[in-house]
Amino acid sequence: MRTSAIILLISAAAFISCDPTDIFETDFRDKEDEISLTISRKRIFSYNAPDCQISYNNAKKQFRVSDDNMGNFFVLTCSHIPEKEGDTVTATLQYTTDSNIRTESHSFKVSKTAPDGKIWLWSQKKKIGAVVQLLN
């Protein structure tokens, strides 16, 4: 009886000590394939080739993704070009919401990269994930 109570307490302590933001990052990195902006598991914007535009400005270190009429978009302007997993970049994020345009600065970690130039950026503090694409 006493042993099972101790095991239960240890299990509860282990569960409580888990950092849910690590789970958010893992879900984002492993399940998100599209160029997109996700905030706290809510998809804010997704790139859809027939209806959207994507651009990258190397001189400004800026990724831009928008729908064709610029009614919805996100722009990520980085302190330097994110290159390899584990790198950290400071970036200004500008994006549309249902009622306005928000601008925020965050630190992003390069969570994943792909050979086609896609980069998964993750802000641990705000639970923001952005998948962007380097273009030639």
Side-chain angles (χ1 to χ4, degrees):
M1 177 80 158
R2 184 166 230 183
T3 304
S4 61
I6 291 171
I7 291 171
L8 181 62
L9 286 173
I10 291 171
S11 297
F15 179 76
I16 291 170
S17 68
C18 290
D19 184 355
T21 55
D22 289 341
I23 296 168
F24 287 163
E25 179 183 2
T26 301
D27 282 350
F28 165 73
R29 181 185 62 233
D30 295 345
K31 294 180 182 176
E32 189 59 59
D33 289 331
E34 299 176 18
I35 296 168
S36 61
L37 176 65
T38 302
I39 300 176
S40 296
R41 293 189 187 240
K42 181 180 178 191
R43 176 86 55 84
I44 303 299
F45 188 85
S46 291
Y47 172 75
N48 181 22
D51 304 320
C52 295
Q53 303 294 317
I54 180 173
S55 63
Y56 171 69
N57 183 314
N58 192 51
K60 292 183 178 182
K61 301 165 198 80
Q62 186 177 75
F63 302 90
R64 295 182 299 267
V65 184
S66 69
D67 61 13
D68 284 341
N69 64 8
M70 289 295 291
N72 294 295
F73 65 86
F74 75 93
V75 177
L76 193 69
T77 306
C78 301
S79 58
H80 62 277
I81 298 168
E83 294 180 308
K84 63 181 188 291
E85 291 179 27
D87 281 354
T88 300
V89 61
T90 301
T92 300
L93 173 64
Q94 185 178 45
Y95 64 97
T96 53
T97 67
D98 291 338
S99 58
N100 64 8
I101 298 172
R102 297 197 58 161
T103 303
E104 307 168 352
S105 291
H106 300 290
S107 177
F108 289 89
K109 177 179 87 173
V110 178
S111 187
K112 178 178 164 182
T113 61
D116 66 356
K118 279 187 189 171
I119 303 168
W120 285 252
L121 297 165
W122 178 254
S123 169
Q124 179 81 3
K125 185 175 181 181
K126 294 290 186 173
K127 299 180 203 105
I128 297 174
V131 181
V132 294
Q133 175 113 33
L134 284 170
L135 301 173
N136 295 339

